[in-house]
Amino acid sequence: MTARELNAAGITDPRLRAAYRHCRELNARHGRTYFLATRLLPPARRPAVHALYGFARWADDIVDVPGPGGHDGTGTARRAAALDRLADDLARGLAGGKGAAPVIVALADTSRRYTIDHRHFADFLTAMRSDLTVTEYAHYDELRAYMHGSAAVIGLQMLPVLGTVVPRAEAAPYAAELGVAFQLTNFLRDVGEDLDRGRIYLPQDLLAAHRVDRALLRHCRDSGRTDPRVTAAVREFAALTRAAYRRAAPGLAMLDPVARPCIRTAFVLYGGILDAVAADGWAVLHRRTAVPRRRRALVAADGLLRGAPPPRPRPRPPAIRVPAGHFPPFPRPEEVR
């Protein structure tokens, strides 16, 4: 399948092919829902999506996977230096040089092919840097400002690859909002894991309205117990997330028809995480909820059917001319199948 995608995209240079394969492997290994949805795109467009995902994943792993020093000051300095090296490599790659990391090689090629605004990549790295030092957000507007770089720009990067049936500027706000909706979903699902990293993405004013603070979250996480105050806060955050999906929904019809099954599948599956979290008793502090594999397969199959070309009409059989006054005999029961 990889060779088919690369050939369809006209990617022939061996180094480029290897770089795109690397990004595809990252997508398949880490982005189960995202990768499944990508399979619904035409093969020629998939390598670009893999490249965008690979870059985002590479930077995210630098921030979230601690090296020597863990999450203390030493570890933070090491990760900041790694982000700086990635930014330097990105600048060289986008300027036409040869980036060292495979994700940069593929990303730079994708950016050139689809004329993706370089500011989106810079804004993303700015958000990643803030994750090294910012551990909470006072209110939702502050969180939204962070998500411009961490999520909205992902939708904006994707838009030229997906294509639109309206001017791109008209579809851009909806693509950005869908990126935000996906990010909010991840925040909801990963409350416990993020807390272990020292971060709380649920706004502080929302938590305070339900008499929740970091100490209570930590207590629930460590003890394995639930608390109705935490549940109420999580439910409110889920409502904010659903509102983002509603705002993003009109943008689906603005996409190139061949891209709609992919994004619709991602829309349904990520939205389904909210349903799964609710069905799991809002226990996001204790386990990471996922949409069941069978459900993912069914939604993907539905997307594939929606994206399939309509069947060719069968040739009409020749008309049977019956002489006036004559009726053909009814078939015998054993002839009816």
Side-chain angles (χ1 to χ4, degrees), residues 19-311:
Y20 275 108
R21 285 195 186 97
H22 176 76
C23 293
R24 186 182 189 277
E25 290 168 3
L26 288 174
N27 196 348
R29 188 184 317 132
H30 298 290
R32 292 181 300 175
T33 298
Y34 199 76
F35 182 74
L36 181 63
T38 302
R39 296 291 296 274
L40 301 179
L41 282 173
R45 301 192 197 186
R46 295 176 200 167
V49 177
H50 297 320
L52 294 174
Y53 179 91
F55 171 71
R57 184 74 204 192
W58 187 270
D60 196 58
D61 280 350
I62 290 174
V63 172
D64 284 344
V65 181
H71 286 288
D72 62 14
T74 304
T76 298
R78 289 179 183 274
R79 286 177 286 152
L83 279 179
D84 288 342
R85 289 192 296 272
L86 179 62
D88 290 343
D89 200 18
L90 173 66
R92 285 193 298 273
L94 293 178
K98 293 186 177 181
V103 294
I104 298 300
V105 173
L107 183 75
D109 183 68
T110 289
S111 177
R112 286 190 288 271
R113 287 172 183 264
Y114 289 95
T115 320
I116 299 174
D117 192 331
H118 294 178
R119 289 178 300 176
H120 299 328
F121 307 123
D123 289 348
F124 177 77
L125 288 180
T126 297
M128 292 301 97
R129 285 191 184 91
S130 74
D131 271 335
L132 297 179
T133 55
V134 179
T135 59
E136 58 189 45
Y137 295 87
H139 44 73
Y140 187 59
D141 286 345
E142 192 173 279
L143 181 65
R144 292 275 309 194
Y146 159 77
M147 287 190 295
H148 166 74
S150 69
V153 297
I154 303 297
L156 297 175
Q157 292 169 24
M158 284 280 293
L159 200 57
V161 179
L162 299 174
T164 62
V165 294
V166 299
R168 191 184 298 174
E170 184 178 340
Y174 299 97
E177 190 66 19
L178 187 56
V180 167
F182 290 165
Q183 174 95 91
L184 289 171
T185 302
N186 286 336
F187 288 160
L188 182 70
R189 180 190 58 189
D190 299 337
V191 170
E193 293 182 7
D194 287 331
L195 185 64
D196 290 343
R197 299 184 181 108
R199 303 188 201 123
I200 299 175
Y201 289 105
L202 276 63
Q204 293 299 301
D205 61 346
L206 183 153
L207 294 175
H210 296 282
R211 295 178 293 120
V212 176
D213 58 15
R214 183 181 290 267
L216 179 59
L217 293 174
R218 189 72 260 171
H219 170 74
C220 291
R221 175 73 168 168
D222 293 341
S223 66
R225 296 179 180 178
T226 59
D227 187 289
R229 293 169 291 179
V230 174
T231 299
V234 170
R235 288 170 65 100
E236 183 176 342
F237 192 76
L240 289 174
T241 305
R242 291 189 188 279
Y245 279 101
R246 289 194 296 271
R247 289 191 293 269
L252 297 179
M254 299 180 182
L255 298 175
D256 185 335
V258 300
R260 290 175 198 168
C262 165
I263 302 306
R264 178 186 175 277
T265 295
F267 186 98
V268 172
L269 289 178
Y270 267 91
I273 292 174
L274 302 179
D275 298 328
V277 166
D280 197 29
W282 307 98
V284 290
L285 274 169
H286 311 304
R287 50 190 169 269
R288 193 175 194 265
T289 304
V291 176
R293 181 178 299 177
R294 183 172 181 273
R295 170 66 175 160
R296 293 201 305 269
L298 288 173
V299 173
D302 179 63
L304 185 62
L305 289 173
R306 287 171 181 263

